[in-house]
Amino acid sequence: MNALTIDNLTVRIPLADRSVVHAASEVHLAIPAGTVTALVGESGCGKSILASAIMNMLPVESSVSGSVVVQTRDRVVDVFADSSFRGRDVALIPQSASSYLTPVRTARSQLEETIRVLRSHHECDELARLVGLDPRDLDCYPHELSGGMAQRVAIAGALVGDPAVIVADEPTANLDGDLTDRILGLLRRSADDGAAVLLITHDLSSLMRTAVADRVAVMYASRIMETGPAHSVLDDPLHDYTRDLLNALPSRGLNPMPGTAPQLTDLPDECVYHLRRPESTQSGGATELVTVGNRSYRTRVVA
Ligand SMILES: Nc1ncnc2c1ncn2[C@@H]1O[C@H](COP(=O)(O)OP(=O)(O)OP(=O)(O)O)[C@@H](O)[C@H]1O
Ligand code: NI
């Protein structure tokens, strides 16, 4: 059963200067219950916007087509039509955790409120220990917490309702190696307990080290370029972009990516990877996501 299904999602956000952000373009992504999918891609490609779309938290002026559907054990939720899903059915670990916490209340009082509202059986101190915090840290106000501590409070908050879907947006960005492994281990455990986890991350090295993800989805300039089992995508990529991204890793030769990642304002309505890598025969003109077995990759439509 797919706990999260994103079907043909396109999001455009008009800006005051009349330009338009191509935030998501024809995105298809399905995450089965009990699995972790890592969403990777360079800064600014639209990963966090996708997280906002799943939470139905896009800017009000956005134009949206396609659907995001969450299937739990007992109900099916169209997230654009019903916002009662947050917390218990779907939880977000936001990228900027410290701004997500209310500044005037301690971490403990915020976590206690979430536990009360969701009628959760979890306890604050137990959640603190799970995320590697000293329970006494919860008595701090957000400004007294480091970025990494605030992030772990947000992770604890996301676990309160044992949600069917967890969207974790760079949950380990402020954490050192040991804490990164602990948090990725926690997300893995949530998946093993039945959740569908979307793990948004820059950190391909941690993905390789921990093998936390079952599947990897690669995004470039608002589009999905490739999806597949993690080991296949990471060891034997099918898209030129994935190959470039992997070859830039220190462990794979530190070959710099050509050019720079594009801005999403006023992109043409097509894949633009050929502008970055002109010799790629997979981009330029109309493209489609081709599925072969349990993998898919974007390539040019042959006329
Ligand atoms: N609320 C918004 N309104 C308008 N444009 C936005 C909004 N949020 C993000 N954008 C734009 O959408 C693009 C994609 O942003 P997004 O935050 O999704 O990237 P990302 O892939 O998460 O990057 P990073 O890895 O740095 O977090 C950016 O160009 C950003 O400026
Ligand atoms: Ni982001």
Side-chain angles (χ1 to χ4, degrees):
M1 177 193 87
N2 288 324
L4 176 68
T5 309
I6 301 174
D7 189 23
N8 205 17
L9 181 74
T10 295
V11 178
R12 300 284 179 258
I13 309 173
L15 300 180
D17 65 3
R18 306 186 115 208
S19 61
V20 175
V21 179
H22 285 224
S25 301
E26 295 144 38
V27 171
H28 290 275
L29 197 61
I31 307 186
T35 67
V36 176
T37 291
L39 177 65
V40 304
E42 289 162 286
S43 187
C45 72
K47 303 181 297 297
S48 295
I49 297 242
L50 199 60
S52 302
I54 295 166
M55 302 307 292
N56 193 13
M57 286 171 17
L58 288 166
V60 282
E61 63 277 19
S62 308
S63 79
V64 180
S65 63
S67 65
V68 178
V69 173
V70 171
Q71 163 110 52
T72 72
R73 235 171 264 144
D74 40 30
R75 64 186 193 131
V76 179
V77 184
D78 168 352
V79 306
F80 297 140
D82 174 357
S83 56
S84 69
F85 64 88
R86 287 188 205 132
R88 183 169 296 284
D89 296 333
V90 188
L92 172 69
I93 299 165
Q95 187 165 9
S96 51
S98 42
S99 59
Y100 165 86
L101 295 168
T102 306
V104 294
R105 290 170 49 201
T106 63
R108 182 181 298 280
S109 96
Q110 297 183 54
L111 211 48
E112 275 171 351
E113 182 179 18
T114 311
I115 289 171
R116 205 167 44 244
V117 169
L118 296 178
R119 297 203 188 92
S120 167
H121 62 274
H122 290 290
E123 288 170 0
C124 283
D125 289 2
E126 162 230 335
L127 288 166
R129 288 192 195 94
L130 266 183
V131 297
L133 288 170
D134 184 323
R136 285 172 300 188
D137 296 337
L138 294 181
D139 298 311
C140 294
Y141 288 87
H143 72 270
E144 297 171 316
L145 299 171
S146 71
M149 289 161 94
Q151 200 156 25
R152 281 177 287 151
V153 172
I155 294 167
L159 299 176
V160 166
D162 294 315
V165 176
I166 299 174
V167 180
D169 194 351
E170 302 281 1
T172 60
N174 296 310
L175 305 181
D176 64 24
D178 285 351
L179 280 171
T180 293
D181 288 0
R182 176 193 280 261
I183 296 304
L184 296 182
L186 265 182
L187 292 173
R188 182 68 250 173
R189 206 161 86 198
S190 296
D192 292 342
D193 288 344
V197 177
L198 179 63
L199 168 63
I200 297 175
T201 182
H202 272 99
D203 190 356
L204 288 163
S205 305
S206 292
L207 283 186
M208 292 171 175
R209 186 182 68 248
T210 62
V212 63
D214 299 285
R215 293 179 64 82
V216 171
V218 182
M219 194 173 195
Y220 183 75
S222 83
R223 281 189 164 73
I224 299 290
M225 295 287 123
E226 169 161 9
T227 63
H231 61 91
S232 307
V233 175
L234 298 174
D235 295 338
D236 176 28
L238 294 178
H239 199 282
D240 295 337
Y241 175 63
T242 316
R243 202 168 296 121
D244 283 341
L245 203 59
L246 290 165
N247 285 341
L249 290 171
S251 60
R252 305 264 176 110
L254 211 63
N255 305 291
M257 305 272 303
T260 51
Q263 294 286 321
L264 301 191
T265 37
D266 290 330
L267 284 177
D269 257 327
E270 60 178 35
C271 177
V272 289
Y273 196 55
H274 60 287
L275 302 178
R276 187 107 177 254
R277 171 71 78 193
E279 62 274 29
S280 175
T281 54
Q282 295 177 314
S283 177
T287 60
E288 62 185 344
L289 209 51
V290 175
T291 299
V292 184
N294 55 8
R295 307 187 64 173
S296 67
Y297 66 102
R298 181 167 295 284
T299 194
R300 248 169 28 201
V301 175
V302 183

